[in-house]
Amino acid sequence: MKKSLLIGMSVLLFIFGCASEKTDDAAATVERIPEVEALLAQMTLEEKVGQMAQITLDVITKGENEMVSDEPLVLDMDLVRRAVVDYGVGSILNTANNRARTVEKWHTVISQIQDVAMNETRLGIPVLYGIDAIHGTTYTAGATFFPQQIGQGATFNRDLVRKAAEITAYETRASSIPWNFSPVLDMGRDPRFARLWETFGEDVYHTKVLGLEMIKGYEGDDISSPYRVASCPKHFLGYGTPLSGKDRTPALIPEIELRERHLPPFEAAVKAGVQTIMVNSGLINGVPVHASYELLTELLKEELGFTGLLLTDWADIENLHNRDRVAASQKEAVKLAINAGIDMSMIPYNLDFCDYLVELVKEGEVPMSRIDDAVRRILNTKFKLGLFDTPVTHYEDYPLFGSEEFESVALETAQESITLLKNENNILPLSKNSRILVTGPNSNSMRALNGGWTYSWQGEKVDEFAQDYSTILDAIRGKVGAGNVMFREGVRYDNDAAYWVDEAFDIPGAVRAAANVDYIVIVLGENSYTEKPGDLHDLTLSQNQIDLAKALARTGKPMILVLNQGRPRIIREIEPLMSAVVNAYLPGNFGGLAIADVIFGDYNPNGKLPFTYPMYVNTLVTYDHKPSENQARMEGVYDYESDFAIQYPFGFGLSYTTFEYSHLKVSSDQLTANESIEISVNVKNTGDRQGKEVVKLFTSLHYASITPDVQRLRRFDKITLEPGEEKMVTFTLTPQDISFINARNDRVNEAGYFDVMISDLVETISFIE
């Protein structure tokens, strides 16, 4: 029998220091919904505090303890009632035993929970169920899986990103779940970071634009629609750039950098009316974000005007005491976080939070106004989702779940994400009459194609659920016939070790197999991982994979390198040995087909790198660096190689056709404070096949009161051109687009000149205040 929920009153420990005496003044800006206000007026303190608690599903199921559930999954109704009736728990998240469930099972489980919440509690408030559905409905068997967010970033296609989110919302609602902890609006500016693949990449504008499309796809115009979900952008703020590169380790980010690089995507999301936001698990400048009144209340709720629900990440109030040691007890940790502005605690395993918070209010340590503000935000979200009227949706009302129609969008997105980085002597596309050796640890793995957050947290259960899809090996066999394909892994992953570790297996066998083929397709990269299990000590591609590539190169056979990885692993040693390099990122269940389509020319690649691909582990720069970071070779005693050495630049990606840019025009050579200018360019397909091109507009300030970035992406558009076809692409640029955060942490425009750049074309414009 599962252990009882930990609901006893804890012994009070000595509390050093005190929480901020400031209280949350943002309550006055939160929408007053009459039905919600009527509920608030009736609620006891204990009922209000219960709404602020979120527990994980394993806690209320039958099993040997609160972390392990029996299979088949069955709710323990006594534990459900203790949590939902006795404590009034407002939210539940996650799956049980870290595995996907059918839509039928989800409907059964959530119906039982909602029945207790609606019919056995005093006020009948529904539970808000949440899930991490980040590239499809993660924990639902049969759901449609898209490329991970970094691959969607590589498409530079607003429409596809929005469509993928719409389908994910539909299938999440088909699973009876109305709340999705997505998108990730963190900046992917450090390739060491274990969650880089969950971001859109390194650029601020690109992340902001695609993040808004994803939010629009999830929420639509009305989240009460049975086909929409409440989104939850994460992780506010500055989560993606820890100093060590390792997950949940401290970051040092000055305010000027926070406001220039990290805040804009969240600011745009708040302006768009996003419903909920999740908080950064880490520390910034020594302060845990979950305890920062300045970031959560003053910046997010007051300055930006966020009126939605603010949620912790996993166990992060407890971490204020257990890990970060800014609170001398768990009770003080609750005080710090709630007074900082947290509305709901992802506990996730016990209900001590509720006991502590009730005590803190009664003792005057947490003001009742803070509790009312938090609960108002939570109930508003439930009301807007329509949960009071329809607490559970039914899978039978979702006939398109897992449909061919949805899967075609997943395939299209995977195809558009594939990025061709090298194509020496136009070796690609290959002839379908070729004899091919397929090798490498990722060549026959659905798990590697999908990555983490796929059927389970770390993605280790993918092969159990994705047997009907094509690996890269399957897809290549489908193109040229099984008789023309040799297969040797050469290297395989050690699944009993850390997720990205591989071991030598049969490199000599792979070399022998190469003797009778025309080409080698070598698929290297990483196994699935996310969060702390994905931390690494060396960004270099693992030695066994490098050894495999070098051994095969000695055969003299042309090699096509397919990179299947969540972050850019260093390939400097083997890149010159390759005739072609294809970056597939984590393309999802249809990645094998998409990769084969590109290799054999059935699809013309058009993906673009959403990050700067580094050449060395100690040269991790972004495209929007400062001029002093790009140092030319110096002579004499100080002679050394340039510090600026990259493998491939941000925004780079080849095609099987060619494009010519011409006639860059600006509507005025002056931009004033209250005006905008039009910038146009002609793009022509000068090749012999249809192609898609991402037209990117960059700006570069000549001089400013702080050192300007060498360039910044300001606009992009993706167009399709037939052979010989020419189109004019027009962008509008405003003073806001060229503004920047100055030394006083204010966003400003300064008089002076700036360049607008599209491809290799440049025009200079003056800004007049």
Side-chain angles (χ1 to χ4, degrees), residues 748-768:
V748 298
N749 286 104
E750 293 178 351
Y753 292 94
F754 66 96
D755 291 335
V756 293
M757 303 166 289
I758 300 179
S759 187
D760 58 351
L761 305 176
V762 181
E763 287 286 342
T764 300
I765 298 170
S766 63
F767 176 77
I768 300 174

Side-chain angles (χ1 to χ4, degrees), residues 368-387:
M368 196 66 197
S369 61
R370 177 75 271 276
I371 301 298
D372 285 342
D373 174 56
V375 178
R376 177 176 287 112
R377 293 167 183 266
I378 294 165
L379 295 181
N380 280 357
T381 302
K382 294 183 178 186
F383 185 85
K384 291 176 181 179
L385 280 165
L387 297 183

Side-chain angles (χ1 to χ4, degrees), residues 72-74 101-111 175 395:
L73 176 65
V74 178
R101 307 288 165 180
T102 65
V103 288
E104 293 87 354
K105 174 57 75 171
W106 275 123
H107 183 264
T108 297
V109 167
I110 295 178
S111 292
S175 308
Y395 56 88

